[in-house]
Each structure stands twice: as C-alpha cells, then as structure tokens.
C-alpha cells in the first residue's frame, strides 16, 4: 500500500532523445496506455491475472499499455484520480495525484528518469522451432511515431523545459525486484510483462567528516543522502546480428534537488544476457561512451541488456533491464548432403536442416555439375530432405552442393561433395613418380585417380619391365598403399613402370609408362700401382689398371696418395685426374714410400687399392767417427765402439768394416758386421795398435774413418809347458814343470790341475814350487794333469796336459753281493738245501781276475772261477748263513767284500690222499686231506689238482687252498684219471699216485606226448616216438591211463611192433602217460 499522505509529485519533463518502441504503437487493435505517477516514498502495486503482485517504489512514472484493451486492477490511495484521453483513435488512461500540477498532458514518449520501462505485449504469430515472429510495422504505426516525435520537438521549442525539469527525481532508498506481470493477449495466451526492477545503489556521502556523520540522527542523515539513478537504456536499429544501445547520463539527487554531471565523470559497463532476465550476464563493453553497437548477436534471439555507471565519488548504480529481440534472417549454411545409396544410373542423397535463424526453412536448393566438372546447375528445389538423381552415367563422378531458403532469403551453399555411380572401374591413375633411388632399390609413389572420392576403397597394382630382359611387364606390388619400395634391383639399370587401380567394380586402364633408373654403385678398387721403368733417387713412375667393377658407370677420376713407410705416416694426395700413370717426384733418396690409388664415378668413390711399397735409390754413406775404447784396455783384449756416419746415403747402414795394424804386423781386417761394438782379442800385453773402420749400406762402403791408437795393459804369464810325471809306486807319483814367460810381471805361484778325466780336473796344489808329489792313487789307473802360472797381472793359461798310468796291483774288493731269488734262475735248485748268490766283478787293478774265494758258515771257503754267480749246496734247511767273497789275480788276493746274511727255506709238503665222495653222470666231487671244503683263513699250503686229458697229458683243473673240488661237464659212464700236489713257501711237493674215477649212466630223455587215434566207438590207437638207443641199454616204456584223478597202467615193455588198441569206457577222459625206464649200473673203482 502507498502512504496515506504522500508529498506532491513534481512534474517531470519529457525526454526527446529516447525513440518510441515500435511494438508500443499498433493501430490494428485498441490499445490502452496507463500512466501512473508515483511520488518519492510511495509504492505502486499491480496485481496480474495469474495472481502475482508487482510493487514499484517512487519516484517513478510507470506507463503501461494493453493491446487488447483490458486493464489489470490497480490499487491507489485516496487523493488519486484517473483521466482518460482519446487521441487518434487510441485511449490513454493514467493515474496521478490531485495535489499540484502533477497531471501530465501526454504520456508518450517515456520519461527520462523513469527507472522502469514496462514491456508491452501484443499478439504474435507462432514461430518455427519454438520461436514467434514479430508483427511487421505498418504505415499507420510509422505515421503515429512520426507525429509523436513532432509534438515532442514542439514542446521543447516552446520553452516548457528548464534546468529544473531536466534534473531527474530523487533516487529511491530501495528498489525491490518484482515478479513479471502477465497480461493476456487477444488470443487468450499469457505473456510475461517485462517490468524488471533493478537495484539502485544508495549514495551516502556528505560534506561533513565521518565523525560528524556518525553523530547525526537518522533524519539529518536522510537529508544529506545523495541518490544516483541512471535511465533505462534504449535499443534501436535492431538487426539480425547487431543492435544499437544508448543511454543517458546518470542524475544524482540530494535533499530533493537534482544535479547533472559531465560524461567524463562516469565509466559505463554494458552487460547482456540471452538466457532470460535472471540468467547469466556477460560484459560486452566498458567505457565512457553513451551509445554503442552490440555485434555478434544471434538472429531471432531474445536479449536483455543493462548499463551500470561507476564514479570515483559516487557508488555504482545499475539501470533497468531493456529487452529486445534480434531480427530474423536467412538460414545458416546446411551440411553437405550424404550418399545413402548408389547404382549405375542413380544416386540417392539425404541431408539435414540447418538453423533457420527465426524463419522456418521452406525449401532446399540442390545443385550439381552434371558430371562435367563445369558450372553448377539446379537439380532439385523443394522442401524434402532427400532426393534421388536418376538417368546418370555409370562410373561417373558428380559434384553436388546444398542451400536452404526461408521467407527472408537463401543461405550460402554447403561444402561441395563428389559421389560416383557404380558400374565400372576407376579411371586410369597418374604414372608413379620416383621418390628416391638407390643402387639396388627404388622408392615409388602415386596418387589416387582424379575424380575418385576419398572414401572409395582402391587397390593398386604396379608392373615393372627391366630394360633388355625380354620378359615384358611383371607385377611387383599389389596393395592399397600409395607408395612402395622395390628391392633387389640391378644397379645403374633403367626400368619401365605402369600402374593399375582397382575397386569393387573392376580394373582401370594402365597409367602412362614411365621410366626410372637405379643409381650406379661405388666402383671397385683399382689395381695395385706398379713401378714403371727405373727407380731414381728422387722420382719414380707408377701406373695402375682400372677396377674390374666400375659400379655401372664410367670412371671419371683417379686419386693417387703417397705416404712414408715409417710408422704413423700420413697419406697425402699427389695426383688427381683421369690418367692412369703418374711420376712421383721430389722424393728423398733411399726412402721407402707407400702408394695407393682410388677412383670415383657417378656412384661414388671407391676404396683404396692395395698398397705398393717403393724405395728410392740410395748412395753410399759418409765417413764414420773414429772408434773409441770402451772401459779399460786389457792385456790381450780391447773393446771398441763407434757411431753411425752422419750421412747414411739414403739407405740403412747394414754393416761396418773394422781394420787394425801394429808395428810388427801388417794391416788386417778384424771385424765385418752390423754391430757398432767389437772386442779385439789375441793382442799382446803392453803393445800399441791402430784401428779404423768404414760403414756400408746396400749400395756400398763409404770412406774410412780416422785412425785411433790404443795401448794394451800388462798381462798374465804365458802358458806353461807340459809337466813331467814320475810314478814312485802304484799309488804315488811326482809331477814337475818349467817356469813360462812372465809377460812383464814376476810369477808368484803355480796351480796344478789333476784328475782321472781330462775334462773334469781340479786343482790339488797351489804354490811357488815347480814340483809336487801326488799320493793315494789307484793302481792301473790313468791320470791327467796340467799347470798354470799366476802373477800380479792375472792368471795365465793352463799348459798342455800330461798323461800317466799307475802300475797294476791286486784286485779291489767286491762292491755288490746279493742273493738270487727263485724266479731269477733258469733251473731252480732246492732252496731248502741250497743258496744262490751273485756279485759284480770288482776292479782288477791292471791284472785280470783269475778267481774268487767264497767264505760261508764256520769259515768254510769255496774257490770258484771267474763266474759272478754260484750255488752253495748241501746246506741245512731253514738255517741262517753269513757269506762274503774276495777276488784274486796274478798279483795276489784282494780284500774281502762286506758280509751278507742268507737263510735256507724249509722242506716242501707231501701230497695228500685223493678220493671221490660224490658220483654223477656229468660230474665228480673229489676230496683230499683233512680240512674244510672252503678256505676260511689264509692257508700257507696250496694244492694243485690235475686231470689227464685224452692225449695223456695232465692238466691243472684246480689250484688253491680248498680240500674239495667238483669236476663238471664230464661224459656219462666214463673213467677219468687224477693226481694232486701240495706246495707252500718252501716249494712244490711231489705229485700223488694217479687215481681213476668213473661217472654213472644218465636217465632217458623226456618223451613227447603220445597221439590217440579213435578206431571205434570205444577203441583208440596210441602211438609215440621212440628214443635213440643208449649205448646198448634196453629201454622200457610204461603207458598209463587216467580215469578221473586215478591212473592205471595199461602197458609196460619195450616198443611194440604193432599198434596197441585199447577199449575205453564211455564217459571217461583219456589221458596217456608214457614213461621210459632204463636200468642203470654204477661201477665204482
């Protein structure tokens, strides 16, 4: 409800800048415009037909319009009156207070400070796709708009406006958001009234300090409040995708007074929404302009816009929402048509509608190029969304495009698509192109045939013909790829290619034949360079042959490289050209060079050839430096050393030639060889010698060096003469010698070398004497000796060797004496009474040994000849003896040897008694002596059992410690002869007497089963195979018959001469058992 006594509402001037809304003026129906002037602090309430209540706070001028003439109920307080004005056939009704001159003479155009511009609803036609088309303006509405604009200009010119009227009313303290009012149109449909309430921001800034403001009362605070309001923006020049939005400067009011501001004091922000008034707003402009163009709008779309103003001194204020709808336009470009079926003569197409942009699509335009790749022509125009092209050419590609049309215009065309009819293979493809070629491979690529859709499935066949092969084109590739790599081709060879394309309809014609070639290969290495002509010290001519394999192309250039043969020599090019011969000059004499050659062609550069080593001619070397002494000079030897010549002549020094001379000798060569050091021997002590040399290489020797004079040092004495030896006895000799030349130094001592072997003598005397007596010699032995002289300079050489033999004497003692074993003798004597001994012959001391004396037992002496073995007989068994021996010759008896102990063996055992304990037809078990059958413990006595064979010889059948033995595998009824012998460590005993034992007779062999032949009902004939006679023994046969489990004998006797017939009882089983009985006799001897 409004206040009871509201203050008078001041008249507000009309705004001439805001144009009329086109949908607010319409002459087709009776319209009522209600203008309610609301004073500050009052509230205007509207009840809509759907029951909602909308409240509007003052100050405000609320114009309302109803297209169908109906007016919603309006509740006003006392003091308000309504006036109705009818102008140009249009009734206008408004409500205003009766106080003051507040009644407005005219309702339109809208007031500038009116915070809310109500949305006027009118009858609308339904749109396609859920949209409605606005009723177009007619001539009557345009005339009325022009008339109202003219009246507005007249009022402004007559001076009805002033500064006070231009100022906006005071801003309200609070603006409430009200719900949309719904006013029914002429068709009875409810439409939304777009009376949108916006919040007005309160400005509470005064001139006083903040402390003063807090101390003031609420009444004083209201007086000092500053209110800012911005008018509702106006939309004009509405197009399909743009619109012009304009607004006025905000007006501030303080204590009931209005104030205007400059445009530079505010910053405006424009926000729009296409999702309803309560939807999300998007900021599209921020700046100081009062008019902008909204671009990039969607056709036939409802938009809501608002403007907010901000300033540095006043808080932000937001205008009312202004709603507008963009115009409709032609549809969007549709999508390209799709192929749903095809035949040889038809194509069936289908498409979808595009966005109609506010006007329903009425027709579609389909164009094609008639399969000629020319200009497009119309093939269909209508409202259907599919079409079938007929009477087409098989295997032909057709390009098509589509456009949509509505009441406003025609859209653009879609993307061009190409479809082909069925019936034939694809067109001939372009020839394959060469991507890359190698020596033995080639990479080719191709593109699909022209006019083939990208979604067509094609396969390709690539044929190849080798030049000069004579086989024609051969297939090399078959697949759906657009490239392939051919391998294992011949190098530097031209190949022809052609391409076929395949689809589900068939095969295309071949492409044009193209020719591509593989690359040549690298050539092989040329031949090894060879020397041509004579090798000079500074140059050499070389030549070479071309490679056996040029890689498929001609050789264009050769490269000759040279390097010194020394380790680490670097290769340097010396020639590059097409010739195969070159002279290598500027070389050093006697230097080894390595040469190699390579070549190049279109295929690349070859590897280097084998290396040739060439050595330039050399010259003889220069003079060497004079030889120098190494260390100190010796009496008979000096060591010389020298260096190589400064110039080697280009060739390695191979040898040196050293020569010498003395005052007593002529010049002579003493050394020739590669060493740079040599020891000169056989010189005389204290003499002066001259030495010189020259060097040589493979060319020859150079000049001699300067001479070097060197002196030898004093030397040891000369070599002694052969000594004189005199034998005083067989074991003693005297050696004497003469003094040799001392070589400049007195002899201080002599050394006597003595021994039995000439090469293995040792010094037995050292001293100044010139004789020595040697004792303890061996008779009849040869000795060697020599003498050496020593002085301060050194030791002289040994003299010649003298030889002496001592006289003969008695033999030496026997060194080796041992006992002979039984196995070491050819004829074994009885070792129970004999001992066999052996010894080695001792040294005879110059006289032949004639015999030996053997002493044994109680100094019993036996003399034997020169034999070295002897058997002592007639000794006692099992007795220990001590034996020694001595040799004698013509000079007498020698000493005895060492003593040896030997013992005779005991006597061998007697043979045991032999007997047979078990007889059998195949074996005989024999037993002898007393003891177990098996040897459980080791028995020193062994037995040797022998049996006589058929040749009368006794053969051993058992040898061991057991007392029984079973002889097997014997013949029946046969006599065998045996004998036995016992032996132990003492030896073998004598054999026993021969014993004879006879084997028994053997039983008959088993018979085969008899045969029964039925003669009559109860009569059978029984037969069997007879046995062979057994050495004259008679054979008896027994025949038994089984009736159940009992056996009855039916026949016994020899083999009958006729068949036996036996009558059997019926119902019994017949079993014949045959026995053979042999009477055996056992004879035991």
């Amino acid at each position: 409800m409004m206040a009871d006594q509201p203050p008078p509402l001041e008249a507000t001037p009309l705004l001439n800048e805001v144009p009329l809304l086109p949908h607010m003026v319409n002459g087709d129906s009776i319209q009522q415009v209600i203008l309610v002037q609301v004073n500050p602090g009052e509230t205007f309430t509207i009840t809509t037909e759907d029951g909602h209540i909308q409240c509007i706070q003052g100050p405000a001028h609320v114009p309302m319009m109803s297209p169908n003439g109906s007016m919603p109920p309006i509740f006003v307080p006392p003091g308000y009156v309504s006036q109705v004005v009818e102008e140009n056939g249009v009734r206008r009704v408004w409500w205003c207070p009766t106080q003051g001159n507040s009644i407005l003479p005219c309702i339109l155009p809208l007031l500038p400070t009116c915070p809310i511009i109500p949305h006027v609803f009118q009858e609308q036609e339904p749109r396609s796709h859920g949209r409605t088309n606005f009723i177009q303006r007619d001539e009557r509405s345009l005339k009325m708009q022009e008339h109202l604009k003219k009246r507005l200009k007249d009022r402004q010119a007559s001076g009805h406006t002033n500064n006070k009227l231009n100022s906006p009313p005071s801003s309200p303290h609070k603006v409430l958001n009200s719900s949309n009012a719904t006013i029914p149109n002429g068709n009875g449909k409810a439409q939304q009234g777009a009376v949108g309430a916006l919040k007005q921001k309160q400005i509470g800034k005064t001139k006083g300090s903040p402390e003063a403001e807090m101390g003031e009362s609420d009444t004083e605070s209201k007086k000092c409040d500053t209110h800012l309001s911005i008018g509702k923006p106006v939309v004009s020049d509405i197009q399909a995708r743009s619109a012009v939005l304009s607004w006025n400067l905000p007006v501030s009011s303080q204590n009931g007074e209005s104030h205007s501001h400059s445009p530079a004091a505010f910053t405006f922000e424009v926000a729009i929404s296409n999702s309803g008034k309560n939807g999300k707003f998007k900021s599209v402009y921020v700046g100081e302009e009062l008019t902008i163009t909204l671009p990039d709008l969607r056709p036939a779309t409802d938009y809501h816009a608002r403007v907010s103003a901000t300033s540095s001194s006043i808080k932000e204020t937001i205008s009312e929402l202004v709603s507008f709808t963009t115009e409709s336009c032609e549809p969007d470009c549709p999508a390209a048509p799709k192929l749903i079926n095809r035949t040889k003569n038809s194509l069936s197409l289908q498409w979808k509608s595009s966005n109609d942009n506010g006007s329903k699509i009425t027709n579609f335009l389909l164009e094609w190029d008639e399969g000629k790749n020319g200009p497009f022509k119309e093939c269909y125009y209508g409202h259907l969304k599919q079409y079938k092209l007929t009477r087409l050419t098989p295997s032909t590609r057709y390009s098509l495009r589509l456009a949509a049309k509505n009441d406003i215009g025609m859209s653009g065309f879609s993307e061009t698509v190409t479809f082909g009819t069925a019936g034939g293979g694809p067109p001939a493809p372009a020839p394959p192109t060469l991507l890359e070629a190698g020596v033995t491979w080639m990479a080719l690529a191709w593109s699909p045939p022209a006019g083939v859709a990208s979604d067509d499935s094609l396969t390709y066949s690539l044929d190849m013909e080798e030049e000069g092969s004579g086989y024609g084109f051969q297939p090399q590739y078959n697949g759906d790829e657009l490239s392939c790599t051919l391998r294992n081709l011949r190098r530097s060879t031209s190949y022809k290619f052609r391409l076929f394309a395949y689809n589900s309809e068939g095969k295309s014609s071949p492409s044009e034949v193209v020719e591509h070639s593989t690359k040549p290969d690298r050539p092989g290495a040329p031949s090894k360079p060879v020397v041509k002509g004579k090798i000079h010290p500074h140059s050499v001519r070389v030549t070479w042959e071309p490679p056996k394999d040029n890689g498929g192309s001609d050789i264009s250039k050769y490269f000759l490289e040279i390097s010194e043969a020394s380790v680490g020599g670097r290769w340097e090019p010396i020639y590059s050209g097409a010739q195969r011969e070159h002279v290598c000059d500027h070389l050093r004499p006697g230097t080894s060079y390595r040469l190699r050659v390579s070549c190049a062609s279109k295929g690349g550069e070859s590897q280097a050839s084998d290396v040739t080593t060439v050595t330039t001619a050399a010259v003889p070397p220069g003079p060497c430096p004079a030889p120098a002494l190494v260390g100190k000079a010796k009496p008979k030897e000096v060591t010389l050393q020298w260096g190589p010549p400064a110039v080697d002549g280009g060739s390695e020094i191979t040898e040196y030639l050293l020569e010498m001379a003395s005052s007593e000798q002529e010049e002579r060569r003493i050394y020739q060889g590669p060493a740079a050091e040599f020891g000169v021997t056989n010189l005389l002590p204290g003499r002066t010698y001259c030495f010189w040399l020259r060097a040589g290489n493979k060319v020859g020797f150079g000049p001699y060096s300067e001479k070097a004079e060197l002196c030898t040092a004093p030397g040891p004495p000369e070599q002694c003469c052969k000594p004189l030896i005199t034998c005083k006895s067989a074991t003693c000799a005297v050696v004497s010698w003469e003094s040799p030349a001392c070589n400049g130094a007195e002899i201080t001592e002599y050394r006597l070398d003595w021994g039995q072997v000439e090469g293995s003598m040792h010094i037995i005397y050292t001293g100044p004497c010139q004789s020595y007596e040697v004792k303890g010699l061996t008779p009849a032995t040869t000795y060697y000796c020599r003498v050496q002289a020593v002085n301060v300079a050194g030791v002289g050489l040994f003299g010649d060797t003298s030889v002496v033999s001592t006289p003969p004497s008695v033999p030496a003692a026997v060194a080796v004496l041992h006992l002979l074993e039984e196995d070491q003798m050819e004829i074994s004597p009885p070792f129970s009474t004999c001992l066999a001994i052996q010894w080695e012959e001792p040294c005879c001391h110059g006289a032949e040994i004639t015999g030996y004396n053997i002493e044994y037992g109680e100094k019993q002496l036996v003399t034997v000849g020169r034999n070295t073995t002897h058997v002592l007989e007639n000794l006692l068994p099992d007795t220990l003896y001590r034996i020694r021996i001595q040799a004698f010759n013509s000079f007498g008896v020698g000493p005895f040897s060492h003593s040896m102990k030997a013992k005779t063996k005991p006597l061998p055992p007697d043979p045991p008694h032999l007997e047979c304990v078990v007889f059998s037809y195949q074996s005989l078990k024999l037993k002898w002596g007393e003891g177990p059958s098996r040897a459980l413990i080791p028995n020193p006595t062994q037995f040797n059992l022998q049996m006589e064979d058929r040749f009368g010889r006794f053969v051993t059948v058992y040898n061991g410690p057991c007392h029984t033995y079973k002889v097997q595998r014997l013949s029946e009824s046969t006599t065998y002869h045996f004998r036995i012998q016992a032996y132990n460590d003492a030896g073998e005993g004598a054999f026993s007497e021969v014993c004879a034992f006879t084997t028994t007779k053997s039983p008959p062999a088993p018979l085969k089963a008899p045969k029964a032949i039925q003669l009559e009902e109860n009569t059978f004939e029984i037969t069997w195979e007879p046995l062979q006679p057994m050495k004259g023994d008679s054979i008896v046969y027994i025949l038994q018959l089984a009736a159940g489990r009992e056996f009855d004998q039916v026949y016994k006797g020899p083999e009958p001469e006729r068949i036996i017939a036996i009558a059997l009882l019926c119902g019994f089983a017949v079993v014949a058992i045959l026995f053979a009985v042999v009477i055996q006799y056992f004879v035991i001897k």
Side-chain angles (χ1 to χ4, degrees), residues 195 408 456 515 531 705 875 1084:
V195 183
I408 298 177
D456 285 356
E515 189 171 351
V531 178
S705 67
L875 302 179
I1084 302 175

Side-chain angles (χ1 to χ4, degrees), residues 661-680:
S662 66
S663 60
E664 300 176 357
Q665 298 177 352
E666 296 181 357
E667 297 179 0
R668 62 187 178 93
R669 181 180 302 175
I670 59 175
Y671 173 73
Q672 183 175 358
E677 182 177 338
F678 181 72
V680 184

Side-chain angles (χ1 to χ4, degrees), residues 379-681:
C379 63
Y380 171 73
Y381 182 80
H383 65 281
L384 298 179
K385 297 180 182 179
Q386 62 182 7
Y387 183 69
K388 182 177 182 180
L389 293 170
T390 58
R391 298 180 182 179
L392 304 180
T393 304
S395 301
T396 305
R397 308 292 295 181
Y398 294 90
S399 297
L400 302 104
R401 63 183 184 180
L402 181 69
K405 184 180 182 302
N406 58 9
D407 294 339
I408 298 177
M410 182 76 71
S411 71
F413 283 96
S414 67
E415 295 181 359
T416 302
V417 292
T418 303
F419 302 113
T421 56
T433 59
L434 180 65
L435 293 180
E436 188 177 359
V439 178
T440 59
W441 57 275
M442 222 183 285
L444 303 177
W446 53 88
S447 58
V452 177
S454 59
D455 56 349
D456 285 356
S457 178
L458 296 179
T459 59
Y460 302 93
S461 175
L462 179 65
D463 293 351
M464 181 185 74
E465 180 184 11
E466 183 179 351
E467 182 181 12
S469 64
Y471 294 106
F473 282 94
Q474 300 293 328
Q476 299 294 327
Y477 171 77
N478 192 354
D480 55 357
E481 299 293 336
L482 295 177
S483 63
C484 73
T485 301
L486 304 178
R487 303 186 183 277
N488 300 324
L489 304 179
R490 296 173 57 189
R491 65 186 183 188
S492 187
T493 304
S494 178
Y495 294 90
K496 294 181 179 179
F497 297 94
R498 66 183 182 184
L499 184 67
F500 292 90
Y502 295 84
N503 60 8
S504 58
E505 306 298 335
K507 173 182 177 182
S508 71
S509 300
S511 66
E512 296 181 4
V513 176
V514 292
E515 189 171 351
H516 302 296
S517 300
T518 55
K519 292 184 178 180
D521 197 1
R522 293 173 53 188
S527 66
K528 181 179 180 181
V530 295
V531 178
K532 184 178 181 181
K534 183 179 179 180
I535 299 177
H536 299 280
H538 299 281
S539 65
V540 63
R541 181 184 295 272
V542 293
T543 182
W544 58 88
E545 295 296 329
K548 297 180 180 180
D549 181 12
N550 60 3
S553 61
D554 295 335
I555 303 299
S556 59
K557 189 177 291 186
Y558 292 94
F559 305 96
L560 181 63
E561 295 176 304
I562 190 170
S563 171
E564 291 191 11
S566 59
V567 179
R570 186 166 55 89
W571 290 99
E572 296 180 357
I574 58 173
Y575 171 71
S576 174
Q579 302 297 325
R580 291 187 285 109
E581 184 176 325
H582 181 68
V583 176
C584 306
D585 50 6
H586 303 292
L587 305 180
R588 291 184 299 176
T591 304
S592 295
Y593 292 92
R594 297 184 300 166
L595 297 171
R596 67 181 184 183
V597 65
S598 60
C599 60
S601 66
K602 294 181 179 179
E605 187 173 346
S606 71
Q607 295 183 351
S609 65
D610 294 338
V611 176
T612 297
T613 302
V614 178
T615 303
T616 55
V619 296
C624 294
L629 178 66
V630 178
K632 294 182 179 180
K634 298 179 181 180
K636 295 184 180 181
E637 179 182 358
V638 291
T639 302
L640 302 178
Q641 190 179 42
W642 57 89
V647 179
D648 61 357
S651 178
E652 182 181 1
I653 302 299
T654 58
E655 59 181 347
Y656 295 94
L657 184 61
L658 179 63
E659 297 181 359
M660 65 170 287
S662 66
S663 60
E664 300 176 357
Q665 298 177 352
E666 296 181 357
E667 297 179 0
R668 62 187 178 93
R669 181 180 302 175
I670 59 175
Y671 173 73
Q672 183 175 358
E677 182 177 338
F678 181 72
V680 184
T681 59

